[in-house]
Amino acid sequence: MAKVKTSFFCQNCGTQFTKWQGQCSSCKQWNTIVEEVVQKEEKINWQTKEKSTSRVAKPTLIHEISASNEKRLPTSDYELDRVLGGGIVPGSLILLGGEPGIGKSTLLLQISLKLPYKTLYVSGEESQKQIKMRAERIHHHNSNCFVLTETKTQNIFKQIAEVKPDIVIIDSIQTLHSDYIESSAGSISQIRECTTELIKFAKESGIPVFLIGHITKDGNIAGPKILEHMVDTVLQFEGDRNHVYRILRSLKNRFGSTSELGIYEMLSDGLREVSNPSEILISKNADELSGTAIAATLEGARPLMIEIQALVSTAVYGTPQRSTTGYNAKRLNMLLAVLEKRAGFKLAAKDVFLNITGGISIDDPAIDLAVIAAILSSNEDEEISKTNCFAAEIGLAGEIRPVNRIDQRILEAEKLGFTTFFASKHNKISLKNTKIRIVLISQIEELVAHLF
C-alpha cells in the first residue's frame, strides 16, 4: 500500500495546490479550495487483471499514419445520430448533461433497448427494479441489454470483462468511485480519476462509453471543467420540464459539427423523435394575430421555421421594460434603436416583450427581419399574413443585410406552404421556377410599405 497523501483542489475548476489558499489562482474564485485525501496504488489492467504496463510511444511521420475512416455505429435514433455526426465512434467517450428530471436516463435507456449491439447499462442511482419499470413504460424489448447496479469502477471493469459489451452506459459519473482515491464519490479527485480510467478503457478496447453528468444550478456540468476537456463529445439535453419538448445540443464534438440540433417530444411511453421541428415551433392557431412573424433560421444543416411573438405597449412606469425569451436582449435593444433612429418609429417610451415559441434559443442574426416585423405589427396592431416568411439581418444603418444559405431557407419555406419570402436585395439567389414569391428589399421602409 502506497503512502496516503493529501492535496488541495479547487471545487470550481479542479486545479491542484500543495497548500490551502483563499483564492484560486486559476479561476479567481474565493473559498473554493478544499483538502482531499489522495492515495495512489498500482493499477490493474481491466482485461488481464494484471499490473498494467505501458509501452513507450515513438514519433511517426504524419504521412506514414493511416487515415482510414473509422466506421461509426448507428444508434437507430436519427436525432442522436445527427447530433453525434453520423453515429457513435468506437472508443469515444460521450458526456450527456442536463437538468434533473429532463430525461437523460430515459433517452439513454431507450437507445440501449433499441440498439442491435450488446449494451451494458451501469446505474449508480437506481435499482434494477426501477430500471425495469422504466423499460416497461418505454415498451422496448431487447435481449442484448444488460443492467448493472454498481458504483465501484474496479467491479464495473470486472463485469465488462465477463459480459464483453459493444457499448457501455454509465449513469452517472458523479456516483462512481475508485479504490485508487480515498475521497467521497462526486468529489473533484474521484470524478477525474474515474473518468481517466474510463478513457483508458475506451481507447484500449475500442468500446464507446456514454456518461451521464449532473449539472450545477448555473447550468454547468458538475465537477471540474477538465471533465469536459477529457471526453470526446459533450451533449446538452435542454428543455422546460413543464413542456413536452426536449432539445439535444452538441457543445463539443471531436468527430462532427457542434451546430447540429436534435428535438424530442416527451410522451408517457418515452421520447419521440421530431423529424419536422417546424411543427412544434409554429402555432396551429388559424386566426391571424398582430405581433407574430415567421422567421427562416438554420441550426447546423437543418432549416427551421420559428414563430416570433412581440408585444408593444405603453410603459406604465417611468423606465420602459425590455424583456426577451429565447433571444438576445442586447440585440433587441439594438434593433429598437435602429427603428427609432433610422426608421422614425417612436418606441422609447413603450414596453417591448419578445418571445420565440417552442422554448428554444436562437442566435442566428437572420431572424432580425422577423423580429422587426413582429414589433412593428404589434405597434401598429395590424396582423401579418401567416403565409409570409422572413430571413435577413438588420444593420445599424437600417439596411437589410444578406444571410448565408438563403436557397435552403427558401426551399424549406416553400415546402411548408409559405407563399411570400422576404429577403435582402443583396442576396444572390440561384433558385429558378419556384412557386414561392420572393420579395427583395434593402431598407426597413420598404418592409413597412409591403406589410402595412
Side-chain angles (χ1 to χ4, degrees), residues 153-154 157 178 180 193-201:
T153 57
Q154 285 71 33
F157 290 136
S178 173
Y180 306 131
E193 176 64 27
C194 294
T195 306
T196 302
E197 293 180 18
L198 290 168
I199 288 177
K200 185 178 180 182
F201 155 73

Side-chain angles (χ1 to χ4, degrees), residues 404-416:
N404 61 345
R405 294 160 65 184
I406 189 67
D407 292 348
Q408 192 174 354
R409 301 173 195 259
I410 294 174
L411 290 175
E412 180 70 11
E414 183 180 11
K415 184 177 70 175
L416 294 176

Side-chain angles (χ1 to χ4, degrees), residues 63-345:
H63 67 269
E64 295 179 357
I65 301 174
S66 60
S68 58
N69 292 327
E70 192 73 48
K71 185 179 180 181
R72 294 175 182 258
L73 304 175
T75 64
S76 302
D77 189 306
Y78 185 68
E79 298 296 308
L80 179 62
D81 284 346
R82 188 215 320 277
V83 175
L84 291 177
I88 305 173
V89 176
S92 62
L93 210 70
I94 302 168
L95 177 63
L96 175 64
E99 292 278 350
I102 203 68
K104 304 183 296 295
S105 301
T106 301
L107 175 64
L108 291 187
L109 180 60
Q110 180 174 309
I111 291 170
S112 65
L113 293 175
K114 292 166 62 177
L115 286 172
Y117 320 108
K118 186 185 291 186
T119 307
L120 179 62
Y121 188 96
V122 182
S123 176
E125 300 178 344
E126 297 176 295
S127 65
Q128 292 182 340
K129 291 185 178 180
Q130 289 176 306
I131 298 172
K132 175 64 175 178
M133 291 171 59
R134 180 182 289 121
E136 291 180 346
R137 177 171 58 85
I138 295 174
H139 298 305
H140 287 291
H141 302 282
N142 190 348
S143 58
N144 294 323
C145 181
F146 294 84
V147 176
L148 172 66
T149 55
E150 181 61 62
T151 58
K152 187 176 177 180
T153 57
Q154 285 71 33
N155 294 339
I156 292 173
F157 290 136
K158 289 179 183 178
Q159 297 302 321
I160 289 175
E162 293 181 6
V163 176
K164 297 180 180 178
D166 298 317
I167 295 177
V168 176
I169 298 174
I170 305 294
D171 183 10
S172 63
I173 185 61
Q174 278 82 11
T175 61
L176 297 190
H177 67 92
S178 173
D179 283 342
Y180 306 131
I181 299 291
E182 280 194 355
S183 59
S184 60
S187 62
I188 295 290
S189 54
Q190 280 288 6
I191 292 176
R192 182 169 49 212
E193 176 64 27
C194 294
T195 306
T196 302
E197 293 180 18
L198 290 168
I199 288 177
K200 185 178 180 182
F201 155 73
K203 302 307 178 185
E204 290 179 352
S205 64
I207 299 175
V209 179
F210 279 89
L211 303 178
I212 292 179
H214 300 165
I215 66 170
T216 63
K217 63 180 181 181
D218 298 326
N220 301 317
I221 295 178
K225 193 68 176 177
I226 194 174
L227 173 62
E228 299 178 43
H229 291 285
M230 294 168 70
V231 300
D232 298 309
T233 304
V234 179
L235 303 179
Q236 186 80 10
F237 208 34
E238 304 173 352
D240 191 342
R241 282 181 293 175
N242 298 321
H243 294 81
V244 296
Y245 297 108
R246 305 287 187 266
I247 297 172
L248 184 66
R249 295 181 187 271
S250 175
L251 305 182
K252 172 191 175 182
N253 193 354
R254 289 174 177 162
F255 311 111
S257 173
T258 57
S259 58
E260 293 295 345
L261 188 76
I263 299 181
Y264 296 87
E265 182 182 7
M266 176 64 81
L267 303 175
S268 59
D269 57 350
L271 292 160
R272 180 184 73 89
E273 303 170 46
V274 179
S275 57
N276 181 19
S278 299
E279 72 181 53
I280 69 170
L281 301 177
I282 299 178
S283 64
K284 304 300 188 296
N285 191 352
D287 299 330
E288 293 184 351
L289 305 173
S290 63
T292 62
I294 308 298
T297 183
L298 290 172
E299 281 288 342
R302 167 184 283 188
L304 302 176
M305 299 294 119
I306 61 173
E307 182 175 339
I308 309 293
Q309 294 180 334
L311 176 62
V312 179
S313 62
T314 304
V316 179
Y317 304 103
T319 304
Q321 300 183 63
R322 303 285 189 259
S323 178
T324 63
T325 303
Y327 189 71
N328 192 329
K330 292 182 179 179
R331 193 160 187 87
L332 173 63
N333 291 330
M334 184 202 77
L335 295 178
L336 293 176
V338 170
L339 286 174
E340 183 91 18
K341 178 72 175 180
R342 303 297 183 184
F345 289 94

Side-chain angles (χ1 to χ4, degrees), residues 10 74 376 397:
C10 173
L376 295 180

